[in-house]
Amino acid sequence: MPQNPHRRAFLRTVASLAFLPLLGRAQGGARLTRLFGPPLRGPVRRVFVAGPPAAVMAYVLAPEKLLGWPTRLGQEALAYLLPEVRGLPVYGRLVGSSATVSVETLLAQKPDLILDVGTVDATYLSAAERISSQTGIPYALVDGRLTESAEQLLEVGQLLGVEDRARRLAAYARVALAEAARYRARSGPKPKVYLARTASGLETGLGGSINVEVIEVAGGVNVTAAAGRGGLTRVSFEQLLAWQPDLILTQDASFFQLARQDPLWRRLKAVQTGQLYLVPSLPFGWLDGPPGVNRLLGLRWLVRRLNAGVEPLDWRVETWLFYRLFYGLEPSAQQLEALLAGLQGG
Amino acid sequence: MRPLAQGSWGFPVGKRSHGVIFAFLLLLLLVAGVWALAVGQYALSLREVGEVFLGRSTETAQVVILGVRLPRVLAAALVGAALALAGAAYQTLFRNPLAAPDVLGASAGAGFGASLAILLSLPLLLVQWMAFLGGLLAVGLVYLVARMVRRHDPVLVLVLSGVAVGTLFSSGISLVKVLADPSVQLPSLTFWLMGGLNGVNAQVLPPLAALVALGALPLFLLRWRLNLLSLPDEEALALGANVAALRAGVVASATLMTAAAVSVTGIIGWVGLVVPHAARLLVGPELSRLLPASALLGGGFLLVADTLARTLAAMEIPLGILTALVGVPAFLFLLARGGRG
């Protein structure tokens, strides 16, 4: 049967139109944001966040628009955040295996926008589609890769109508990312890094995992990369002896204690040479937990740990600046002391 | 009185061949142990491994073998033996082939204790102790409930309250999952619930060994009398057994072993359910033979599963997955063979 080229083109257009709502609309030139559901009606005043990285994003840009937290934050973490968000309710997570937010809770909050930042894959795309069509609330899903932090801040800033603030934060992100990119591109051997998670220190992320992204962005090699790509995993101590990482990073204070005392951990070169670091985890982790824009300061720190010749920073000053700029509060001398203690290495 | 030997599961085995079977099981455990010591992620030749035991190896090889592999090998054998013993004891106590070490909620309780500790970001040692205490607490509750209900068959009440309390603690685990931080605590909790021996070190061994021994000893001492539990209560009473006391002893022993094992390794299914059956196919239901056979077979089985878990891939494979993958075919094979016999 002879094909009519016009007819084929027409069918293709119809087909792509039919899929369009599924894929979400890219919003006004935005590269990272997919919008689902109805278009935004007027300025966004109330934001419902779908998960922890989105909560960080919404908080740093417009804390007054945040409706609640996706996870319980401890008193220690809340002390680093503005007083007005400390009493916000905890709604739980909207997407994923342990999602706990009901559609009714969501509707009762009358949000102008649902915001999710993080991995963009079929699971999250279909969840965004389903939730937005069920509730009739606009839903923005933003690609949350660390290297795109500046663009994320700008795009979400535009959605929330806080462009000025977004530009200031994005400028910081650009500096941190450009600095990292410069050293990452240098040739030569790269330090091997192990990111120890949890109290045992024997959980970590594989290469490509969003939880350990910061290592590669900062110009290091994740020791687990050889073992494959994927999500989180457990490793045996024997494996660590074989890898002999140059640097061990953790955000877990009890593991930091354990590793410095345990005779086995003390066998590792990195522990012997004081290259074990307790990276701050309050109010959000510097390296992970959650994988959001909170990692920018950790990135600046790690770039300096991994590469020789980077212009040094005064960490008391830099931390104070970052916390004031992103979290809106100036940490006290005491808080700074507590945050930075573990960065001396042990 | 029903004959005790050769229940529906047993197949006739002569007295002499029991000795052969025990020798074989012991050999199996030893071979598995040697193999487990020889392989791992840190590349060492057989000679280097041998030299460690002759005391003339490099320091690193010593750390790998004596500091990492040996504790793990011993822990795997201990945990496997403990779970299999607990399973064998419960299957006798409940006269039910589906009874497993977690039937009275020990695993669910331990899981709840551990998940609470993970939620509170407690140190590793406290995670283990809270798991242990959680296991004891769950079974303690079950026993308390069973003591208060006196109008029904005591074994039935024990099983039913075990199911109920176990479910209660399982929903406690689910609640903690909901509250946990999704990027760190939740994955950690999920790993714990799938089981694994990667966190074992030399410090864990003495308390683990002591608790397992404390639980196993009464079972071995009472092995002759415990056979009476497989009879209906009236018959056992008529034979002069203090059934209630025996039952309490079995529950306490099995719980101690299960809670100790699970607190170190996380939840490992299948071993306690299936290994006693395999042992019963080999040596029959008589406890003086079934208990040691279960212990040897359980230890060997978990040792093999754990060695595969740490060597098949560059990363640790969760042990719970492997115990099922290795155990099910082995069990079905035994079942088919036993059935023909």
Side-chain angles (χ1 to χ4, degrees), chain A residues 233-234, chain B residues 190-191 194-196 305 309 315-323:
Chain A
T233 185
R234 275 179 162 183
Chain B
T190 310
F191 280 127
M194 289 193 288
M315 294 292 125
E316 296 269 323
I317 300 169
L319 196 51
I321 297 175
L322 274 178
T323 50

Side-chain angles (χ1 to χ4, degrees), chain B residues 8-19:
Chain B
S8 57
W9 285 88
F11 57 103
V13 187
K15 259 221 163 92
R16 201 177 335 139
S17 62
H18 282 143

Side-chain angles (χ1 to χ4, degrees), chain B residues 6 42 63 79 85 108 114 118 152 159 178 181 185-186 189 191 207 215 224 227 234 251 253 297 302 304:
Chain B
Q6 276 122 47
Y42 194 98
V63 174
V79 167
L85 276 176
I118 291 171
H152 303 282
V159 173
V178 166
D181 163 39
Q185 293 169 338
L186 190 59
L189 183 51
F191 280 127
W224 301 106
N227 284 318
E234 306 79 53
V251 169
S253 298
L297 199 59
L302 200 66
V304 170

Side-chain angles (χ1 to χ4, degrees), chain A residues 251-289:
Chain A
Q251 290 185 170
D252 191 302
S254 57
F255 166 68
F256 186 62
Q257 278 296 335
L258 176 100
R260 289 194 302 176
Q261 289 161 3
D262 188 276
L264 218 48
W265 281 92
R266 292 177 62 87
R267 292 283 177 174
L268 291 177
K269 205 174 58 193
V271 180
Q272 282 166 6
T273 55
Q275 296 298 308
L276 164 74
Y277 296 97
L278 175 63
V279 180
S281 56
L282 297 173
F284 307 111
W286 280 25
L287 301 176
D288 177 25

Side-chain angles (χ1 to χ4, degrees), chain B residues 125-278:
Chain B
L125 197 65
L126 280 180
V127 175
Q128 288 168 344
W129 278 110
M130 278 189 60
F132 179 68
L133 294 178
L136 296 192
L137 177 74
V139 181
L141 274 177
V142 170
Y143 205 77
L144 216 62
V145 172
R147 290 273 315 243
M148 287 189 298
V149 182
R150 289 189 167 279
R151 275 176 303 169
H152 303 282
D153 172 20
V155 170
L156 184 69
V157 171
L158 206 55
V159 173
L160 288 180
S161 53
V163 170
V165 171
T167 308
L168 204 62
F169 278 93
S170 296
S171 30
I173 298 175
S174 303
L175 179 68
V176 172
K177 277 185 171 175
V178 166
L179 295 174
D181 163 39
S183 62
V184 181
Q185 293 169 338
L186 190 59
S188 182
L189 183 51
T190 310
F191 280 127
W192 197 92
L193 294 173
M194 289 193 288
L197 280 156
N198 71 324
V200 167
N201 55 28
Q203 288 97 303
V204 174
L205 273 179
L208 175 67
L211 289 169
V212 170
L214 205 61
L217 197 64
L219 289 184
F220 279 105
L221 292 179
L222 292 171
R223 62 191 182 278
W224 301 106
R225 254 185 247 187
L226 292 182
N227 284 318
L228 298 176
L229 288 177
S230 60
L231 303 174
D233 278 10
E234 306 79 53
E235 289 182 33
L237 281 169
L239 287 169
N242 183 347
V243 178
L246 269 181
R247 201 169 278 144
V250 170
V251 169
S253 298
T255 302
L256 203 58
M257 285 190 289
T258 310
V262 170
S263 66
V264 170
T265 63
I267 290 175
I268 297 173
W270 192 250
V271 178
L273 173 66
V274 150
V275 167
H277 285 303

Side-chain angles (χ1 to χ4, degrees), chain A residues 211-271:
Chain A
N211 300 95
V212 293
E213 202 183 15
V214 63
I215 295 174
E216 275 155 33
V217 175
V221 177
N222 180 3
V223 286
T224 63
R229 300 180 75 77
L232 296 172
T233 185
R234 275 179 162 183
V235 298
S236 69
F237 190 79
E238 198 176 326
Q239 183 85 75
L240 279 169
L241 280 169
W243 282 329
Q244 283 293 357
D246 301 308
L247 212 70
I248 299 177
L249 307 172
T250 184
Q251 290 185 170
D252 191 302
S254 57
F255 166 68
F256 186 62
Q257 278 296 335
L258 176 100
R260 289 194 302 176
Q261 289 161 3
D262 188 276
L264 218 48
W265 281 92
R266 292 177 62 87
R267 292 283 177 174
L268 291 177
K269 205 174 58 193
V271 180

